[in-house]
Amino acid sequence: MSQHSHQILLLAFPLVQSLDVTGPLEVFAAANRAMEEDGKVAPYQITLAGPHKGPVDSTCGIPLLASAGFLEQDLSADTVILAGGSGARECINDRSLIEKVRVICEQSRRVVSICTGAFPLAATGLLDGHHATTHWSRCAEFETQFPLIDLDPNAIFVSDGKFHTSAGVTAGIDLSLALVEQDLGCQIALEVARELVVFLKRPGGQSQFSARLTVQADMKDSDRFSELVRWVANNLHKDLSVEILSARLAMSPRNFTRRFLEVIGQTPAKYVNAMRIDAARRLLTDGEVPIGTVAKQCGFNTIETMRVSFQRYLKVSPQDFRDRFQSIDVPGRIPGPGRKNIFGAARN
DNA sequence: GTAACATCCCGCCATA
DNA sequence: AATATGGCGGGATGTT
């Protein structure tokens, strides 16, 4: 936690419009707003740059720099973020580009990659011998390309020294949030998280829920599954057992479980549970709905079930969760001891 | 907290 | 031959 400003360089590979880029931008922009509301100076100065080929306008109000002259520009920052998405994997054979990335990363205090942004980072060789992660669907490819890197396919995000790599795009949002917490403290991170309605999760290394996963578009059957996922989100109060869900897609439970894991990246029950906690979280923060009603609406049969789930995954009870978030609106009220870290107890 | 009960989910193998 | 699917068993995990 410090008063000085943080310079952030966001490297976007060909596609600028992807959530990999806009997600972190939103987080840091929200952090700036939160600080300004507190009467402080907006701490984050963000530069968006990259060798992209997409439309050259601005994203989230951040002007895009250095598209054509990317290699020539003198770019450095406190924190550099390599966004993933379309084009990130393809550019690892562009030697001059990778060399440029390497120089930038070497000069930076913190290096962050999101999703497949890990590929260009890995290509620099800087990650060799380090722990890292990337999007689950690209892990096999990553491992064969970069055998010297210690890949953890199950982690949401991995921190190793100055390098922080994250799994999916939503994990990138979570990671940005963690950086904000590191830089500005828990209070601001809380406000940002609340504003963005990002699903809260535990520190890296825990794979049980990584928020709402974006279904890979290029994957077979993804249409059926994304439709199912949408249906699930709208029917959380119903019975969402494997048996019921598999019947909806006219699959055997065994095959459904297998395909669900492949396409969505999580097992059915875990995913459903994550969605339920997510929904409950929103109802608890955004309204005055009694906790028992929240539990029912979100598909937890009883308050007890919901409480167990909250304790297990968020390390707080529903009541604590509600109190904590609503306390933000009360000036001067400070969360009690042991409640300061929304990301869970353990940190590193 | 705990115990009984239910469901999940993943390896293994047969079948399509 | 190679691949996708489905059934089964039972330890792991979750619910009441």
Side-chain angles (χ1 to χ4, degrees):
Chain A
M1 208 184 298
S2 66
Q3 300 300 320
H4 73 273
S5 69
H6 300 272
Q7 287 201 324
I8 294 188
L9 174 63
L10 185 56
L11 292 184
F13 296 90
L15 263 188
V16 182
Q17 274 69 19
S18 74
L19 190 60
D20 290 50
V21 178
T22 56
L25 281 182
E26 292 288 0
V27 170
F28 294 119
N32 276 345
R33 282 197 297 277
M35 290 293 276
E36 279 173 338
E37 273 169 29
D38 288 3
K40 292 169 186 157
V41 181
Y44 289 113
Q45 293 164 14
I46 304 162
T47 306
L48 180 59
H52 67 93
K53 300 185 181 78
V56 192
D57 50 6
S58 65
T59 305
C60 305
I62 311 284
L64 181 62
L65 293 183
S67 54
F70 176 72
L71 294 176
E72 287 76 40
Q73 299 250 355
D74 185 13
L75 296 164
S76 65
D78 177 58
T79 301
V80 57
I81 300 177
L82 290 88
S86 175
R89 286 180 301 129
E90 286 75 357
C91 70
I92 61 174
N93 293 320
D94 185 336
R95 289 168 97 191
S96 51
L97 171 60
I98 293 300
E99 174 61 15
K100 177 69 178 174
V101 171
R102 188 186 66 76
V103 170
I104 293 173
C105 291
E106 230 166 21
Q107 291 169 347
S108 302
R109 181 174 67 85
R110 254 188 332 206
V111 177
V112 178
S113 80
I114 291 165
C115 195
T116 49
F119 279 79
L121 175 56
T124 65
L126 293 174
L127 273 182
D128 288 353
H130 287 274
H131 294 273
T133 191
T134 185
H135 192 274
W136 57 272
S137 72
R138 304 297 181 197
C139 281
E141 181 185 343
F142 191 92
E143 267 178 321
T144 43
Q145 292 258 17
F146 310 108
L148 295 180
I149 296 170
D150 193 352
L151 183 74
D152 183 351
N154 291 319
I156 290 174
F157 60 84
V158 171
S159 295
D160 189 349
K162 67 188 260 189
F163 299 104
H164 310 266
T165 51
S166 71
V169 287
T170 48
I173 295 174
D174 289 336
L175 195 151
S176 305
L177 206 47
L179 294 181
V180 168
E181 193 193 15
Q182 237 178 50
D183 294 340
L184 309 174
C186 167
Q187 278 297 315
I188 297 294
L190 265 171
E191 292 184 37
V192 172
R194 187 166 187 235
E195 185 182 334
L196 297 178
V197 199
V198 169
F199 189 67
L200 295 182
K201 42 153 276 311
R202 300 174 57 187
Q206 304 284 332
S207 56
Q208 46 280 64
F209 46 83
S210 56
R212 297 158 184 279
L213 293 161
T214 43
V215 178
Q216 289 297 101
D218 59 349
M219 202 162 265
K220 197 172 130 204
D221 273 0
S222 71
D223 287 355
R224 299 170 72 201
F225 276 97
S226 57
E227 199 183 308
L228 178 75
V229 161
R230 225 173 299 126
W231 180 82
V232 164
N234 292 325
N235 293 276
L236 287 175
H237 58 285
K238 294 183 182 163
D239 179 359
L240 300 176
S241 65
V242 168
E243 198 179 3
I244 302 278
L245 296 180
S246 59
R248 278 191 75 82
L249 293 192
M251 284 179 176
S252 71
R254 178 68 189 93
N255 200 38
F256 172 79
T257 307
R258 182 161 42 210
R259 303 302 311 282
F260 192 95
L261 185 60
E262 276 174 28
V263 177
I264 306 295
Q266 273 187 314
T267 60
K270 289 234 171 73
Y271 183 81
V272 166
N273 194 246
M275 293 290 276
R276 285 182 164 146
I277 292 180
D278 195 8
R281 210 193 115 266
R282 287 163 205 244
L283 285 178
L284 287 171
T285 39
D286 295 346
E288 301 293 324
V289 188
I291 289 186
T293 312
V294 171
K296 280 236 158 45
Q297 284 181 6
C298 297
F300 300 103
N301 283 332
T302 67
I303 294 181
E304 281 70 33
T305 314
M306 179 163 80
R307 183 162 48 235
V308 170
S309 251
F310 264 62
Q311 278 299 344
R312 185 174 299 138
Y313 293 106
L314 300 178
K315 301 294 183 200
V316 283
S317 70
Q319 186 62 60
D320 272 355
F321 188 90
R322 169 170 270 176
D323 291 347
R324 186 189 306 189
F325 270 90
Q326 292 188 337
S327 76
I328 292 171
D329 291 330
V330 183
R333 180 170 166 192
I334 297 165
R339 292 184 168 194
K340 294 206 164 184
N341 187 350
I342 60 172
F343 298 105
R347 293 190 57 202
N348 38 10

